[in-house]
Amino acid sequence: METIDQVLTATCIVIERVGVHNLTIDMVAAEAGVSKGGVLHHFPAKTALVAEAIRRDIEKLIAEIEETAHYTRTFAEALAIHARQIMREKGGVSPRLFVASAELPEAAEAVRGLFSALTSRLTRDGSGTGVERTLFFFAVFGILVGRGMNFFQSSDEELEALFSKLDEFAAKTC
């Protein structure tokens, strides 16, 4: 398991550095400190490697949001808190990982799984309408992707105001 974790972490690092199309198994092996055969033993193809790295990161993200939810009234509040934290620490969704998930069907499936897991969890909270939950979710996701992809630039004050509105929306409807 340690080797797999090293390889998946290295995969994300290499994607951030060179992009998914320029990623090679040799680069990942060198970054992970394992042999190329060691990588191929666990992941027979580049697409499987990238998809698993993205899936693993998504699973970690969901687990972190669930942990935050233990300290909030609703899952929507936890999602807003976590999104705010991501914006402060990382600046949003990585453009290179976003491109990887958009271009590789296996990786896109992992992102669909994230959407499904988060919307299902929001639904289990049982408050607000389906439309309100979906609107809330897409607002959070839109901020993260838009900011990470540099689609819009906002000051820290504007960003804080956006998240304050999301907090209010989550408290009232979700």
Side-chain angles (χ1 to χ4, degrees):
M1 288 303 273
E2 186 177 322
T3 300
I4 292 172
D5 190 54
Q6 288 173 285
V7 168
L8 295 175
T9 299
T11 301
C12 290
I13 291 168
V14 173
I15 290 171
E16 288 293 326
R17 192 177 325 137
V18 303
V20 69
H21 294 295
N22 294 323
L23 175 140
T24 66
I25 300 295
D26 289 324
M27 289 176 181
V28 171
E31 183 69 37
V34 300
S35 69
K36 181 177 182 177
V39 174
L40 291 171
H41 173 74
H42 298 289
F43 304 99
K46 176 176 138 174
T47 55
L49 177 63
V50 171
E52 183 61 22
I54 291 171
R55 189 197 59 72
R56 182 197 66 162
D57 277 2
I58 286 171
E59 285 179 358
K60 283 182 180 180
L61 175 63
I62 292 170
E64 289 169 5
I65 296 168
E66 286 286 356
E67 179 65 27
T68 302
H70 285 90
Y71 306 102
T72 61
R73 289 180 298 133
T74 67
F75 186 77
E77 288 178 47
L79 184 57
I81 288 167
H82 201 74
R84 180 183 275 121
Q85 179 183 350
I86 289 170
M87 290 302 295
R88 286 182 178 149
E89 294 175 4
K90 300 178 185 173
V93 175
S94 159
R96 292 188 187 268
L97 287 177
F98 189 70
V99 167
S101 66
E103 291 187 355
L104 298 174
E106 297 89 346
E109 187 58 39
V111 175
R112 277 191 290 280
L114 169 67
F115 273 71
S116 177
L118 292 177
T119 55
S120 292
R121 183 60 173 87
L122 284 167
T123 300
R124 280 199 317 259
D125 273 354
S127 53
T129 68
V131 170
E132 290 166 337
R133 286 187 300 268
T134 301
L135 181 61
F136 171 79
F137 178 71
F138 279 112
V140 170
F141 189 74
I143 291 170
L144 293 174
V145 171
R147 181 79 180 252
M149 298 290 289
N150 292 317
F151 292 152
F152 74 89
Q153 298 297 317
S154 58
S155 68
D156 289 341
E157 294 80 23
E158 290 172 317
L159 194 56
E160 212 38 59
L162 284 171
F163 277 111
S164 290
K165 289 292 183 188
L166 283 174
D167 291 341
E168 289 174 25
F169 189 77
K172 289 179 186 174
T173 61
C174 298

